[in-house]
């Protein structure tokens, strides 16, 4: 299982239609910035996600995530292919 960048319930969508979680759930909040690709989820299930935005909330900073199709391993294979051509 890949290391998760930000813990999230991948079924928890809010009114925006995106998965949401709090920024303080991130292993390293400095990498969870709008436009970044991160691994989101938990020890049982993880997905590659695009960080859509940060929204201030009374309980902390909410992060909206757009889950990408496929498994994390699919993206690892892509990264290996790209890396081998550089």
């Amino acid at each position: 299982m890949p290391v998760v960048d930000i813990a999230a319930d991948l079924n928890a969508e809010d009114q925006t239609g995106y998965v949401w979680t709090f920024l303080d759930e991130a292993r390293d909040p400095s990498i969870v910035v709008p436009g970044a690709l991160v691994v989101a989820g938990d020890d049982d299930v993880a997905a590659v996600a695009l960080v859509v935005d940060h929204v201030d909330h009374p309980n902390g900073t909410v992060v909206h995530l757009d889950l990408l199709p496929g498994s994390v391993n699919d993206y690892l294979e892509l990264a290996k292919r790209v890396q081998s051509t550089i």
Side-chain angles (χ1 to χ4, degrees):
M1 178 58 69
V3 174
V4 171
D5 296 314
I6 187 163
D9 176 347
L10 300 182
N11 294 308
E13 292 182 3
D14 64 10
Q15 70 280 1
T16 65
Y18 294 116
V19 169
W20 70 275
T21 188
F22 286 106
L23 184 58
D24 65 0
E25 295 290 334
R27 186 173 47 83
D28 178 358
S30 70
I31 65 171
V32 183
V33 296
L37 292 176
V38 296
V39 177
D42 59 31
D43 291 338
D44 294 325
V45 63
V48 175
L50 173 69
V51 179
V52 176
D53 62 16
H54 289 176
V55 178
D56 290 330
H57 185 275
N59 295 331
T61 302
V62 170
V63 177
H64 287 116
L65 303 169
D66 188 9
L67 303 182
L68 301 182
S71 71
V72 173
N73 287 338
D74 294 339
Y75 293 92
L76 292 173
E77 289 302 317
L78 171 64
K80 288 177 189 174
R81 284 196 314 273
V82 169
Q83 195 172 42
S84 68
T85 63
I86 294 177

